[in-house]
Amino acid sequence: MKKVFQIFLIVAALFLTLLVFRSIMRPEKVKSIYKDRHDVIRDRLITLRTAQTVYRNEFKKFASSIDTLHDFVNNGFITIEKNVGELPEGMTEEQALKDGILKKEITKIPASKKIVELDPNTEPYLKNFNLIPFNKGKKFEIQTGELTSNTYKIPVYRIDVNGEDIMANLDESINPPNTGTFKRFFNFIMYSGLDSDDNTFNNMYMGSLTESSTTGSWE
C-alpha cells in the first residue's frame, strides 16, 4: 500500500510539474507565433505598398480594391516615356519637342518588373500578396480616401489587419506539415486549445486616411 501511495505521489508530482511547465510555455509559444506571423504579414504589406506606389504613378490614384491591385501587378503594364535626341543648349525641352529635335518615345513594361526594380525583396510575394497569410484565402481590404484643400487633392489609403486574423488557424504553426507523431503528441499536450486562451494581440496597419502617410505599424 505504501509503495502504491509513493507511486501515486510521484505521478502527481510529475503531473503538477507538467502543468506548471505548460502554463509557462503556452504564453511564450503565443509570442513566438505572433512574431513569426507578424513578420510574414509585414513582408506582404510592404509588397502591397510598393505595388500601390507603382499603381499611383500610372493612374494618379491608389487602387481601392485588392483584386484590382493584384490584377494590375500580375497582368498590367506601366507607361515609360523618354525623350530621344539631344537637347540643344539654350532651348527648352518643350520647344525642342515642338521643332522635332527631340522625340518622345513611349514604351510599356510589366508592372511586376517595375515593382521588383523598386524593391527586389517583393519578388517572392507578387503572386499572393493579396492574401492574409494563415487565413485560408482571406484577402486584405483596402480603404481609400482623399485629402483636399483649396490647393491640392492627395489620394490616401489604409489597410488594417486585426489580431484575430494574424493568429487565425494556430494549428498550422503548432503542427506544420511533416510534423512527427511524437512531436504532434507533445504539441497536443502542451498547446491544444491555444486559440481559446484569453490572449490579446496587437493589430497591424499600413497607411492613413487622415494624413499623407503609407507608414506601417511596425515602423
Side-chain angles (χ1 to χ4, degrees), residues 69 77 111 152 208:
L69 185 62
F77 294 84
Y152 65 78
S208 173

mmCIF file of all heavy atoms in Angstrom, residues 69 77 111 152 208:
data_model
loop_
_atom_site.group_PDB
_atom_site.id
_atom_site.type_symbol
_atom_site.label_atom_id
_atom_site.label_comp_id
_atom_site.label_asym_id
_atom_site.label_seq_id
_atom_site.Cartn_x
_atom_site.Cartn_y
_atom_site.Cartn_z
ATOM 1 N N LEU A 69 -5.690 45.750 -57.640
ATOM 2 C CA LEU A 69 -4.248 45.904 -57.492
ATOM 3 C C LEU A 69 -3.512 44.618 -57.846
ATOM 4 O O LEU A 69 -2.488 44.635 -58.530
ATOM 5 C CB LEU A 69 -3.918 46.326 -56.056
ATOM 6 C CG LEU A 69 -2.446 46.652 -55.776
ATOM 7 C CD1 LEU A 69 -1.990 47.836 -56.617
ATOM 8 C CD2 LEU A 69 -2.242 46.955 -54.288
ATOM 9 N N PHE A 77 0.514 46.675 -67.161
ATOM 10 C CA PHE A 77 1.724 47.309 -67.678
ATOM 11 C C PHE A 77 1.762 48.761 -67.234
ATOM 12 O O PHE A 77 0.726 49.356 -66.917
ATOM 13 C CB PHE A 77 1.753 47.251 -69.217
ATOM 14 C CG PHE A 77 1.883 45.857 -69.760
ATOM 15 C CD1 PHE A 77 0.759 45.042 -69.911
ATOM 16 C CD2 PHE A 77 3.124 45.350 -70.112
ATOM 17 C CE1 PHE A 77 0.873 43.752 -70.404
ATOM 18 C CE2 PHE A 77 3.248 44.065 -70.618
ATOM 19 C CZ PHE A 77 2.116 43.262 -70.757
ATOM 20 N N ALA A 111 4.085 45.710 -64.995
ATOM 21 C CA ALA A 111 4.073 46.363 -63.684
ATOM 22 C C ALA A 111 4.929 45.603 -62.679
ATOM 23 O O ALA A 111 5.610 46.201 -61.840
ATOM 24 C CB ALA A 111 2.631 46.464 -63.178
ATOM 25 N N TYR A 152 -4.939 71.552 -53.183
ATOM 26 C CA TYR A 152 -4.454 70.216 -53.524
ATOM 27 C C TYR A 152 -5.489 69.139 -53.223
ATOM 28 O O TYR A 152 -6.423 69.339 -52.444
ATOM 29 C CB TYR A 152 -3.153 69.897 -52.782
ATOM 30 C CG TYR A 152 -3.314 69.813 -51.274
ATOM 31 C CD1 TYR A 152 -3.861 68.684 -50.659
ATOM 32 C CD2 TYR A 152 -2.904 70.863 -50.463
ATOM 33 C CE1 TYR A 152 -4.012 68.605 -49.290
ATOM 34 C CE2 TYR A 152 -3.056 70.786 -49.085
ATOM 35 C CZ TYR A 152 -3.606 69.657 -48.502
ATOM 36 O OH TYR A 152 -3.756 69.583 -47.152
ATOM 37 N N SER A 208 -2.786 55.644 -43.918
ATOM 38 C CA SER A 208 -3.656 56.500 -43.110
ATOM 39 C C SER A 208 -4.691 57.169 -44.008
ATOM 40 O O SER A 208 -4.413 57.458 -45.173
ATOM 41 C CB SER A 208 -2.821 57.576 -42.401
ATOM 42 O OG SER A 208 -3.640 58.511 -41.749
#
